[in-house]
Amino acid sequence: MATMLINGQPAPAASGATMAVRNPATGEVVDTVPRADREDTRRAIDAAVAAFPAWSALPPHQRAQVLLRAAARVREHLDEVAELLTKEQGKPLRDSKIEAERFADNIEIYAGLVAGGALRGQQVALPQQKAIGLVVRRPIGVAGAIIPWNFPLTLLANKIAPALAAGNTVVAKPASTTPLSTLRLAELMAEAGLPAGTFNVVTGPGEVVGNEIIRHPAVRKIGFTGETETGRRVMASAADEIKRVTLELGGSDPAIVCDDADLEVAARAIAIGRFFNCGQACLAVKRVYVLEPVADAFIDKLVARAKRLKIGNGLDPQTQMGPMHTEGGRATIEAQLQDALDRGATLLAGGKRPEGAAFSNGWFFEPTIITNVPEGARVWTEETFGPLLPIAVAKDLDEAIRRANDSEYGLGSSIFTRDLAKAQRAIEQLDAGYTWVNAVQIAHDELPFGGVKHSGYGKEHGTEVLDYYTETKSVVLAGV
Ligand code: NAD
């Protein structure tokens, strides 16, 4: 059995309760983890409270040195962590390795930033004679990190790297279906010298462990990534303690393909953008609007790419697309597809579970493309979190932008064009936290990232994220 990490020590749940983690490709149990309750969670929070004074008092470059050692230790174990991630999440091994590397990258980036002076304030001229105005920056205290299952390591790093580098301590809760790689990383970082209590990991149900982290008065900040509906509950629960929250929520990213686009570039990017991680990415391309003159040519190219994708167990090096993560997730995709077909949609690729013994115990679904889907269908109004892509033909850019914005979400967006004026219109008019021109989906560590509308609140990445893991204090230094 894997154990939690509380105050630098391996910890079972006090009750002895456990939960099984299953491989979505085979249904087999990979391992079990503790099923913590509120009391276990409070122990982790107490440890983070106790660790805060010493950790926050370290000069930033010393915290950075500790974090760099922790990242180096993770790098020595990338293959092991990646294999755990594939077994619990389902994604191809190659993608798991990239994700584990990005975890280490992120720790190094924020260690480097704070060592290089990124935790900076201001000096402000004041009218009062001899007085100096300062804005100083302080860590917040204990930060809670609540993580979903689709990118367990990247989304963890997005929170703990800036939080720890800025001098906060952390209590993290991974999704119950993907705790194993997170627990191993925490163990490795503790072995590398991260002080006890600085980074704690508690495993258990969101309504219990997550809720305790959100409600506990000693946790001063919540970094949450997950569904919009859960985000609403998180924000409401955090209100009692007037707690800072960053919410990275659902998306239904549109991609617009203009009639002057390089269709090969567009088809390649959109195929990756939709089918990467079996379509289970917040920033996946979830709706396509292609302009009429190039619609047939573009659709042919995209359908050919979807049909070529090799589906399989993520541990098989040939696999390009693994299973969906849960049975429930696949059932939702099947229902959204059926709703579109019932309304008269045309199926162009996929549309079913792959056949054969290799697929019979996992949650596999074929890369699926549909067109002629009437407005109002579920695939346009809901988030589709799986390998299902609806394509609409638009008569002009006005219609494409209108329909792209016709969503409660506003996470990412993209446009494929060689015309700078069209790109500029998309940049100005698409309601989203990100617009890619001739590219999709990759959220660069260097650029701030966060959605608008129901896709979230606050930013991760960039130097901007440090604003969300620090408080500023204004100081007047009067002369005597
Ligand atoms: P989810 O909301 O079901 O769960 C996310 C986390 O919240 C899990 O750890 C879960 O245990 C916990 N949780 C559940 N109920 C809770 C509660 N009442 N209180 C506190 N914590 C609770 O999301 P999911 O299904 O794991 O993830 C998929 C969703 O995440 C999709 O909607 C996707 O778009 C979104 N997502 C967003 C981003 C982003 O950066 N915007 C990135 C990845 C995923």
Side-chain angles (χ1 to χ4, degrees):
M1 183 184 84
T3 48
M4 302 187 286
L5 189 82
I6 297 180
N7 203 21
Q9 297 299 316
S15 69
T18 59
M19 5 182 238
V21 178
R22 287 181 183 277
N23 184 331
T26 63
E28 288 161 4
V29 173
V30 184
D31 203 346
T32 58
V33 296
R35 185 187 174 92
D37 59 16
R38 287 182 188 272
E39 197 50 52
D40 296 311
T41 312
R42 284 196 281 269
R43 274 194 293 137
I45 295 170
D46 290 348
V49 169
F52 177 71
W55 180 247
S56 58
L58 281 182
H61 77 279
Q62 284 186 18
R63 285 200 299 268
Q65 283 167 0
V66 176
L67 290 169
L68 290 173
R69 282 197 295 274
R73 178 98 180 128
V74 168
R75 285 199 189 280
E76 287 164 12
H77 292 263
L78 286 179
D79 288 329
E80 177 199 345
V81 172
E83 190 177 323
L84 268 180
L85 179 56
T86 288
K87 284 183 175 165
E88 65 182 347
Q89 204 282 341
K91 63 184 68 190
L93 204 47
R94 190 176 145 270
D95 297 347
S96 291
K97 183 98 181 276
I98 293 171
E99 188 169 341
E101 273 169 351
R102 284 198 74 185
F103 179 90
D105 291 347
N106 230 284
I107 302 284
E108 290 164 356
I109 288 170
Y110 287 96
L113 278 172
V114 300
L119 293 173
R120 47 181 73 199
Q122 293 179 59
Q123 184 202 326
V124 182
L126 298 178
Q128 190 189 336
Q129 254 191 343
K130 288 192 186 167
I132 298 172
L134 298 174
V135 181
V136 298
R137 200 174 270 280
R138 313 162 79 210
I140 299 177
V142 177
I146 301 179
I147 314 297
W149 49 262
N150 60 342
F151 293 97
L153 306 187
T154 320
L155 298 169
L156 177 71
N158 289 353
K159 295 163 186 59
I160 69 166
L164 292 172
N168 304 282
T169 54
V170 175
V171 178
K173 192 205 91 64
S176 297
T177 51
T178 53
L180 297 172
S181 48
T182 299
L183 290 170
R184 183 66 184 126
L185 285 177
E187 196 175 50
L188 289 167
M189 291 173 77
E191 285 166 12
L194 198 62
T198 309
F199 173 39
N200 307 274
V201 181
V202 186
T203 52
E207 305 75 40
V208 179
V209 173
N211 188 268
E212 183 62 30
I213 293 173
I214 295 163
R215 291 199 165 270
H216 197 296
V219 179
R220 294 309 314 151
K221 153 88 197 189
I222 299 294
F224 171 83
T225 301
E227 287 180 18
T228 294
E229 203 38 57
T230 321
R232 277 196 186 94
R233 294 212 294 280
V234 169
M235 200 169 193
S237 305
D240 284 345
E241 292 291 332
I242 320 290
K243 203 166 284 192
R244 280 95 185 104
V245 289
T246 300
L247 300 174
E248 300 291 352
L249 309 178
S252 182
D253 291 8
I256 297 174
V257 181
C258 295
D259 46 8
D260 62 295
D262 182 325
L263 298 185
E264 207 53 58
V265 168
R268 181 172 185 279
I270 290 172
I272 296 171
R274 175 70 276 196
F275 301 119
F276 177 63
N277 208 31
C278 201
Q280 303 162 120
C282 55
L283 284 170
V285 175
K286 294 176 183 142
R287 298 174 288 145
V288 170
Y289 302 100
V290 57
L291 294 208
E292 208 163 4
V294 294
D296 289 345
F298 167 75
I299 289 172
D300 285 351
K301 286 182 192 299
L302 191 61
V303 166
R305 284 183 177 273
K307 288 185 171 165
R308 279 207 301 272
L309 276 177
K310 171 119 178 46
I311 313 175
N313 186 322
L315 293 176
D316 177 346
Q318 303 299 315
T319 294
Q320 294 171 303
M321 195 178 93
M324 290 192 62
H325 185 60
T326 62
E327 187 176 16
R330 183 174 66 176
T332 303
I333 281 292
E334 287 175 334
Q336 288 169 325
L337 172 62
Q338 196 55 50
D339 168 75
L341 295 174
D342 290 347
R343 292 169 191 254
T346 310
L347 182 65
L348 299 175
K352 57 180 175 37
R353 303 171 185 187
E355 283 153 19
F359 303 114
S360 56
N361 293 323
W363 317 126
F364 294 94
F365 199 72
E366 291 177 348
T368 299
I369 298 178
I370 50 178
T371 189
N372 298 321
V373 190
E375 285 190 60
R378 289 178 61 183
V379 290
W380 299 128
T381 59
E382 299 175 3
E383 180 177 39
T384 51
F385 217 59
L388 168 60
L389 182 63
I391 304 180
V393 179
K395 69 176 186 315
D396 55 25
L397 187 55
D398 285 338
E399 184 190 344
I401 290 180
R402 175 188 67 76
R403 291 199 59 187
N405 284 338
D406 185 18
S407 168
E408 67 168 294
Y409 297 107
L411 197 56
S413 59
S414 54
I415 182 164
F416 291 83
T417 180
R418 292 180 169 104
D419 181 339
L420 194 54
K422 289 179 188 155
Q424 269 181 315
R425 274 196 58 197
I427 293 165
E428 283 164 13
Q429 294 178 8
L430 287 174
D431 297 331
Y434 237 107
T435 294
W436 287 269
V437 179
N438 297 320
V440 292
Q441 204 187 35
I442 294 176
H444 292 275
D445 293 329
E446 294 77 7
L447 291 173
F449 161 66
V452 301
K453 301 201 278 188
H454 292 176
S455 286
Y457 178 78
K459 298 288 178 192
E460 294 190 334
H461 295 297
T463 50
E464 286 80 355
V465 68
L466 293 171
D467 295 343
Y468 294 87
Y469 284 97
T470 50
E471 301 274 20
T472 56
K473 176 193 262 192
S474 293
V475 176
V476 174
L477 205 62
V480 285

